[in-house]
Amino acid sequence: MKFLFTLQPISNSCMRIKKIFLSLVIPMFILGSCGPKKKTDEIQAPLRVVQVPPFNADSAYFFVEKQVKFGPRVPNAKAHNQAAQYFISHFKKNGAVVVEQDFDAVTWDNQKVQLKNIIASYNPDAKKRILLAAHWDTRPYADKDAEKKGAPFDGANDGASGVGVLLEISRLLGQGKMPLVGVDLILFDGEDWGKDSSTGQESKLKIPDGYEEWWCLGSQYWARHKHVKNYAAYFGILLDMVGSKHAQFFREGGSLEYAPGVLEKVWSTASRLGYTDYFVKTNVGGITDDHLFVNEIAKIPMIDIVHYQTGVGFFGDYHHSRKDNLSIISKETLSAVGNTLMNVVYYEE
Ligand SMILES: [Zn+2]
């Protein structure tokens, strides 16, 4: 994934910045400042009380660790295939209808890769559906590492954390108490083999037909070839780097632009659960991540819950380096994200 622009863009003049600026300048409906004024100390209670199965952070951590133990899940590597088989059997064991979407792609550095999106569906006949997603591949090189820029790295946060949360949600859904809505968990492949010009990468190749970016190959493919004909979801939530200690999630620009209502729903749910240290009500610029293509091509409003580090910017200093290993993963953070998602899903009518 790449950082696209900040609130104070320096040189990029792309249209998207202007559009995002508009949505930042006029966020009346996002901040709820139109309509009758509420007392500031008024806490909005949910309309009904739902028994939400508690998210188990030990279990989610186990799933993160399990992925790291396979080795970096770099496309074409043995660990990549082993992890895919593990995810598929986990989803099936936990009662999901599973679709494997295999496709070939070419990367910016001219590697031919075999990629696989994995889709696990619960309540497959429910018309109203919520889409939860994360990417499961690992970037092939630590190009932002201080010393070994060509080295592989664990991707404990970048990839494995979001997948770990989704595997735990799958385990909970598999226990039988279903929400009122259908739930689709999508593991996108090929998100992280993109060209990062900030680390000097240049490509002689043209981006192939059917793609707009070297990043996010799996979500671009899925958005154009949905796993079910005419598939639609009411909304989507993408998880990316959701496991590091004291992580904070700011309101990302693309999410604000395409899915402000979803952002509001998720952030207010987190607030009701006491996770305001994690889900910060501050707007920041947008990034290129899988949610962008789900919004723009598949036309499903989707937000991105993604780590933003004050003073560093998106992702934190471990990003695409060997620091992205299990030592930065926190059960408390996984718990904040997992419980928030479970509540959003189970409160949806
Ligand atoms: Zn990445």
Side-chain angles (χ1 to χ4, degrees):
M1 181 222 305
K2 77 169 177 189
F3 177 74
L4 190 61
F5 47 80
T6 66
L7 279 173
Q8 286 89 34
I10 341 151
S11 60
N12 196 332
S13 62
C14 93
M15 282 302 289
R16 197 171 286 131
I17 294 174
K18 290 182 190 159
K19 285 201 287 181
I20 298 271
F21 261 103
L22 270 180
S23 65
L24 293 175
V25 171
I26 324 168
M28 305 281 282
F29 56 103
I30 300 161
L31 300 174
S33 55
C34 54
K37 283 252 184 291
K38 281 199 195 106
K39 275 188 240 154
T40 45
D41 58 349
E42 189 180 312
I43 295 169
Q44 230 182 342
L47 293 176
R48 62 200 168 101
V49 176
V50 177
Q51 292 294 332
V52 180
F55 185 86
N56 186 325
D58 290 330
S59 175
Y61 185 90
F62 169 85
F63 294 134
V64 176
E65 192 176 35
K66 180 88 189 171
Q67 293 171 79
V68 169
K69 281 183 180 163
F70 282 124
R73 284 77 60 213
V74 175
N76 294 354
K78 194 173 160 198
H80 184 260
N81 188 43
Q82 286 174 330
Q85 297 315 315
Y86 175 73
F87 301 144
I88 293 161
S89 77
H90 173 92
F91 288 140
K92 286 184 176 167
K93 193 174 78 186
N94 288 290
V97 176
V98 180
V99 175
E100 298 172 47
Q101 187 174 59
D102 293 295
F103 60 105
D104 295 331
V106 177
T107 64
W108 70 273
D109 49 357
N110 204 19
Q111 302 299 304
K112 291 175 181 51
V113 286
Q114 294 183 309
L115 301 179
K116 187 195 282 287
N117 292 329
I118 301 166
I119 302 104
S121 297
Y122 289 90
N123 274 349
D125 298 328
K127 261 196 108 140
K128 185 175 182 182
R129 314 199 61 76
I130 296 177
L131 168 54
L132 307 176
H135 78 88
W136 70 275
D137 61 304
T138 314
R139 184 159 179 78
Y141 21 66
D143 49 322
K144 286 165 79 177
D145 196 275
E147 289 155 23
K148 295 193 172 173
K149 297 186 190 302
F153 65 103
D154 291 342
N157 203 27
D158 194 355
S161 65
V163 173
V165 169
L166 297 186
L167 293 179
E168 170 59 5
I169 290 177
S170 154
R171 189 185 71 79
L172 294 168
L173 290 169
Q175 291 184 345
K177 185 187 179 296
M178 281 292 163
L180 298 174
V181 291
V183 180
D184 301 296
L185 310 175
I186 305 193
L187 307 186
F188 290 124
D189 202 355
E191 189 273 347
D192 228 351
W193 202 316
K195 176 178 75 66
D196 188 345
S197 44
S198 80
T199 63
Q201 291 163 355
E202 306 261 356
S203 184
K204 295 190 178 84
L205 303 181
K206 218 178 112 240
I207 297 176
D209 288 346
Y211 295 93
E212 295 161 21
E213 265 286 349
W214 293 111
W215 302 92
C216 307
L217 299 176
S219 53
Q220 292 185 73
Y221 185 86
W222 177 83
R224 292 196 162 91
H225 308 87
K226 294 195 192 115
H227 64 289
V228 169
K229 206 168 175 254
N230 300 324
Y231 173 83
Y234 188 55
F235 64 84
I237 301 171
L238 178 68
L239 307 178
D240 201 357
M241 292 172 257
V242 292
S244 68
K245 281 178 191 142
H246 310 298
Q248 291 195 307
F249 312 112
F250 283 46
R251 296 170 172 236
E252 181 268 344
S255 312
L256 277 166
E257 181 181 4
Y258 290 107
V262 183
L263 205 54
E264 177 57 35
K265 185 193 292 271
V266 172
W267 258 246
S268 62
T269 300
S271 169
R272 170 170 67 79
L273 297 171
Y275 297 130
T276 47
D277 285 352
Y278 295 92
F279 289 80
V280 179
K281 292 197 173 180
T282 301
N283 300 349
V284 288
I287 55 169
T288 298
D289 204 350
D290 291 318
H291 69 312
L292 204 57
F293 305 98
V294 174
N295 278 302
E296 290 184 351
I297 304 170
K299 307 291 181 199
I300 295 169
M302 186 184 224
I303 65 160
D304 193 3
I305 300 179
V306 54
H307 183 192
Y308 184 91
Q309 182 83 48
T310 307
V312 176
F314 277 106
F315 329 137
D317 69 345
Y318 56 82
H319 187 237
H320 295 175
S321 85
R322 289 173 302 153
K323 285 188 201 167
D324 186 357
N325 57 46
L326 276 178
S327 71
I328 66 165
I329 300 298
S330 146
K331 288 180 186 174
E332 287 72 24
T333 309
L334 293 171
S335 186
V337 174
N339 274 317
T340 299
L341 254 60
M342 285 294 287
N343 272 267
V344 167
V345 166
Y346 276 79
Y347 268 92
E348 194 65 45
E349 290 181 274

